[in-house]
């Protein structure tokens, strides 16, 4: 089974035996029924179950090829302040971070497009990403989102980022 961490008032590592995902009768959203194995689990009001899916290795490799990345690269982020948002402490391996900690498969957000446009070396790429992240580009952004555009698609299309 996969290991997950139960957060909230009681932090424990648990293993998932089975997951059943089904649509509600109204069809509005998916419901996941999770069967945990190994311990009796009681949920209190403040408890949460965190699920961290991994990106497929094929997608990680595709991104690495597109950006000419060394997935074995070891790095450490240096923070300029003592912010509580210092999530990445210690040394990290790029391939592991891309596989487990960065959403490569979800739809790319307007915020990400806005940030990426600042790093484009080609003016046309910068303009397009700025447009897509703006109110004026809402219709085009919705079209790309409906086509399930990911950050990998952005890097493959706008190569100067």
């Amino acid at each position: 089974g996969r290991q997950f961490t139960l957060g909230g008032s009681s932090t424990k590592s648990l293993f998932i035996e089975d997951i059943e995902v089904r649509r509600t009768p109204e069809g509005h959203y998916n419901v996941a029924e999770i069967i945990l194995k190994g311990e009796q689990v009681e949920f209190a009001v403040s408890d949460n179950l965190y699920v961290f899916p991994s990106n497929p290795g094929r997608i990680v490799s595709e991104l690495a090829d597109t950006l000419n990345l060394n997935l074995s690269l070891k790095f450490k982020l240096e923070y300029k302040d003592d912010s509580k948002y210092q999530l990445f402490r210690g040394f990290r391996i790029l391939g592991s971070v891309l596989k487990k900690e960065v959403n490569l498969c979800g739809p790319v957000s307007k915020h990400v497009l806005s940030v990426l446009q600042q790093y484009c070396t080609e003016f046309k790429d910068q303009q397009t990403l700025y447009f897509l992240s703006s109110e004026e580009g809402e219709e085009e952004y919705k079209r790309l989102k409906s086509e399930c555009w990911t950050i990998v698609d952005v890097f493959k299309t706008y190569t100067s980022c």
Side-chain angles (χ1 to χ4, degrees), residues 2-6 12-16 49-52:
R2 296 184 189 165
Q3 184 173 359
F4 293 88
T5 301
L6 177 67
K12 301 175 185 176
S13 289
L14 305 167
F15 289 90
I16 294 211
L49 181 65
Y50 301 99
V51 179
F52 298 103

Side-chain angles (χ1 to χ4, degrees), residues 40-137:
Q40 185 68 22
V41 178
E42 293 182 25
F43 286 94
V45 172
S46 65
D47 285 344
N48 299 285
L49 181 65
Y50 301 99
V51 179
F52 298 103
S54 296
N55 292 307
R58 174 185 60 78
I59 300 293
V60 174
S61 295
E62 187 178 335
L63 179 65
D65 290 345
T66 300
L67 299 176
N68 196 26
L69 300 174
N70 174 0
L71 294 176
S72 301
L73 178 71
K74 191 175 185 179
F75 68 95
K76 182 178 180 181
L77 294 179
E78 297 291 334
Y79 295 95
K80 294 182 180 182
D81 59 23
D82 289 332
S83 170
K84 66 180 180 179
Y85 299 107
Q86 296 181 13
L87 301 177
F88 299 108
R89 297 183 188 275
F91 283 97
R92 317 292 295 192
I93 305 294
L94 182 60
S96 178
V97 169
L98 291 176
K99 180 142 180 89
K100 298 176 183 175
E101 299 174 29
V102 177
N103 185 358
L104 300 179
C105 298
V108 66
S109 70
K110 283 186 160 202
H111 173 72
V112 168
L113 294 175
S114 176
V115 170
L116 287 178
Q117 65 90 21
Q118 299 172 49
Y119 297 96
C120 292
T121 56
E122 296 290 329
F123 184 67
K124 184 176 180 184
D125 288 352
Q126 186 180 37
Q127 274 188 316
T128 304
L129 293 180
Y130 178 79
F131 174 74
L132 290 170
S133 68
S134 70
E135 287 184 30
E136 294 81 24

